[in-house]
Every structure is written in structure tokens, then in C-alpha cells.
Amino acid sequence: MFQNEMKLEFPSKSQNESFARVVVAAFASQLDPTIEELSDVKTAVSEAVTNAIIHGYENKLGTVVLKCKIEGRKLIIEVIDYGRGIEDVELAKQPLYTSRPELERSGMGFTVMETFMDSLEVESELGKGTRVIMTKEFKNI
């Protein structure tokens, strides 16, 4: 059973990536995270939102949905776009893979999310969008 949750929708503009980071950090603060835990979450959110903007909408205007939920000491984050979708999720999750090499992207977004969070799930359908679900369990201090 969840203890708290929030939902935010914003336009797929690059300047909203930093806004999303701050919102999630503020929401997560009720779990009294360490600086390192908070940094991990902000980095993962940054990657997920950037992917939605750059790859999901390919710099066209769309809506990014950010949901956060707290269950016990666990933070669950969803980043959803209604953009182009991912043709092959497993390929996209491989380090250094990028669907936009002309932008000189590193192709490390999903790898970063997996590294900094406890779990990562990616659901995607071509032409309908992508949903990234990440969880982080905060330690008791």
C-alpha cells in the first residue's frame, strides 16, 4: 500500500529535465535520503526524462508524465511519453547503443538508470510511447 504519490505533466522541452529532477528530489526528501541516494535518483530521472524528450518525441512538442509513489522506504518513479516508442527495448538497453548517433549521444542512458537505481523496467510500443519504471529502496539511517 502506498503512503504518498504525485503526478506531474510537462511539455517535452529540454529545460524541463532539470525541473523534473528537482521535483523528484523534493518528493523523495520525505524519506530522509542520504545525499548520495538523492543524487542517484536525480541522475536517473534526468536520463529518463532526457530520453523521453530526445528519443520519444525527437524534439517535437509532446507531453512527459512523471509519477512518483512511496511504499515504505521504496520510491517508485515512472517517466512516460506518448512518442515514437522503442523498436527493440533489449537492444536499446545495451551500453553505447543510440538511435540518434547524429546527435553524438553516448548511448548510456538506460545503463546509468540501471546503475543508480535498484530496478529498471521499460515498456514500449512503436507509435504509442514508452514507460520507464525505476525503484530505489532507501536505507534506514
Side-chain angles (χ1 to χ4, degrees):
M1 181 167 165
F2 74 93
Q3 293 167 284
N4 200 2
E5 65 182 340
M6 71 93 179
K7 178 180 175 182
L8 177 69
E9 295 185 12
F10 52 89
S12 59
K13 295 183 174 195
S14 60
Q15 59 265 42
N16 285 332
E17 173 268 325
S18 59
F19 173 63
R21 287 169 52 103
V22 171
V23 168
V24 172
F27 185 78
S29 68
Q30 60 196 292
L31 291 170
D32 197 24
T34 65
I35 299 289
E36 183 181 345
E37 288 170 330
L38 207 51
S39 179
D40 290 352
V41 168
K42 288 166 62 177
T43 300
V45 167
S46 177
E47 293 293 335
V49 170
T50 298
N51 276 359
I53 293 167
I54 291 176
H55 300 288
Y57 291 113
E58 299 180 309
N59 294 316
K60 296 181 183 105
L61 199 57
T63 299
V64 178
V65 178
L66 175 64
K67 296 180 181 180
C68 293
K69 190 184 297 186
I70 292 174
E71 293 179 356
R73 302 277 307 149
K74 185 191 301 182
L75 176 66
I76 303 160
I77 302 165
E78 290 184 46
V79 177
I80 303 161
D81 71 68
Y82 305 100
R84 65 185 294 264
I86 301 170
E87 188 171 345
D88 185 337
V89 171
E90 289 310 309
L91 178 62
K93 289 171 79 174
Q94 296 303 309
L96 304 177
Y97 175 82
T98 180
S99 63
R100 305 286 305 274
E102 73 279 7
L103 297 180
E104 298 181 19
R105 307 296 299 175
S106 70
M108 295 297 289
F110 285 130
T111 302
V112 169
M113 290 178 236
E114 285 180 317
T115 301
F116 288 109
M117 300 298 281
D118 295 330
S119 71
L120 171 70
E121 184 181 334
V122 181
E123 300 170 356
S124 192
E125 190 173 338
L126 280 178
K128 295 198 174 180
T130 302
R131 183 171 115 174
V132 174
I133 305 154
M134 304 177 283
T135 64
K136 180 82 167 177
E137 187 88 29
F138 293 92
K139 296 169 182 51
N140 288 322
I141 298 174

